[in-house]
């Protein structure tokens, strides 16, 4: 059953989990930090950066970033780092789901890669979030607040992902 990120977040809030939406500028900064943290420097090419972040240069203004996202609706999918094999030692498929479920979770960030809204949320103390709850979402990336691990669920169910990577 498909659910929107907004419905998922509302469910967390109803369960008493503290959730805060990041501002558009914070989302841009967060995605850039995610990319710098997880993508090896030798794989950080302009094309991969553009596909993952929707930008060719992380010094773009928020307005320039949003224009780029509107011009290239296929951009902004963080999980392309796995598809393009920038991160090769990740766990894939069902094994990724198991790894995510077993991962100790405190605060984490959920990035909605599917919408053009450039939305992301800080989820405080969310140890109960499991892969089966994420399965209903299209194209999200969840990452530990300290960037120690990341989990991406794609919109390409059955072809790509999910992916789990722990530093």
């Amino acid at each position: 059953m498909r659910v929107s990120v907004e419905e998922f977040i509302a469910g967390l809030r109803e369960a008493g989990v503290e959730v805060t939406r990041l501002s558009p500028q914070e989302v841009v900064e967060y995605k850039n930090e995610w990319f710098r943290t997880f993508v090896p420097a030798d794989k950080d090419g302009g094309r991969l950066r553009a596909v993952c972040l929707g930008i060719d240069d992380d010094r773009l203004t928020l307005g320039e970033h949003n224009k780029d996202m509107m011009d290239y609706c296929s951009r902004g999918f963080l999980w392309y780092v796995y598809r393009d094999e920038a991160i090769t030692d990740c766990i894939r498929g069902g094994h990724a789901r198991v790894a995510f479920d077993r991962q100790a979770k405190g605060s984490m960030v959920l990035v909605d890669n599917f919408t053009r809204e450039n939305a992301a949320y800080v989820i405080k103390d969310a140890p109960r979030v499991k892969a089966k709850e994420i399965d209903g979402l299209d194209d999200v990336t969840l990452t530990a607040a300290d960037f120690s691990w990341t989990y991406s669920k794609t919109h390409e169910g059955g072809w790509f992902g999910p992916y789990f990577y722990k530093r």
Side-chain angles (χ1 to χ4, degrees):
M1 174 184 206
R2 294 282 174 233
V3 296
S4 69
V5 168
E6 292 79 16
E7 292 168 323
F8 177 75
I9 295 299
L12 289 175
R13 287 180 173 143
E14 286 175 17
V17 176
E18 183 183 340
V19 180
T20 306
R21 185 174 178 147
L22 297 178
S23 72
Q25 185 61 45
E26 289 171 322
V27 175
V28 170
E29 292 166 6
Y30 181 83
K31 284 183 168 185
N32 280 303
E33 182 66 23
W34 186 96
F35 194 86
R36 282 189 296 271
T37 300
F38 292 110
V39 176
D42 65 323
K43 303 284 186 175
D44 182 2
R47 188 188 70 74
L48 182 61
R49 177 175 289 276
V51 171
C52 292
L53 301 177
I55 57 177
D56 293 314
D57 183 343
D58 64 3
R59 293 168 297 206
L60 292 178
T61 67
L62 179 59
E64 290 168 327
H65 175 271
N66 289 338
K67 180 187 180 318
D68 191 58
M69 286 296 291
M70 296 301 284
D71 289 346
Y72 301 98
C73 64
S74 66
R75 294 181 174 198
F77 298 119
L78 295 177
W79 62 268
Y80 266 77
V81 299
Y82 306 105
R83 182 176 165 204
D84 282 7
E85 298 186 358
I87 298 175
T88 56
D89 54 345
C90 64
I91 302 169
R92 301 168 188 263
H95 296 291
R97 295 175 84 252
V98 170
F100 176 74
D101 285 347
R102 290 183 178 164
Q103 178 61 48
K105 298 173 199 78
S107 295
M108 60 184 166
V109 175
L110 181 147
V111 175
D112 182 357
N113 295 303
F114 202 66
T115 66
R116 292 182 177 179
E117 294 178 11
N118 209 23
Y121 302 84
V122 176
I123 302 169
K124 299 276 186 174
D125 301 319
R128 300 180 311 252
V129 176
K130 301 291 183 193
K132 73 178 185 176
E133 297 166 319
I134 305 303
D135 287 345
L137 300 173
D138 279 326
D139 218 309
V140 295
T141 297
L142 293 103
T143 306
D146 66 358
F147 291 95
S148 59
W149 59 264
T150 187
Y151 178 77
S152 292
K153 174 9 183 112
T154 75
H155 65 275
E156 301 282 355
W159 291 332
F160 299 109
Y163 303 97
F164 181 84
Y165 177 73
K166 187 171 183 174
R167 297 186 321 136

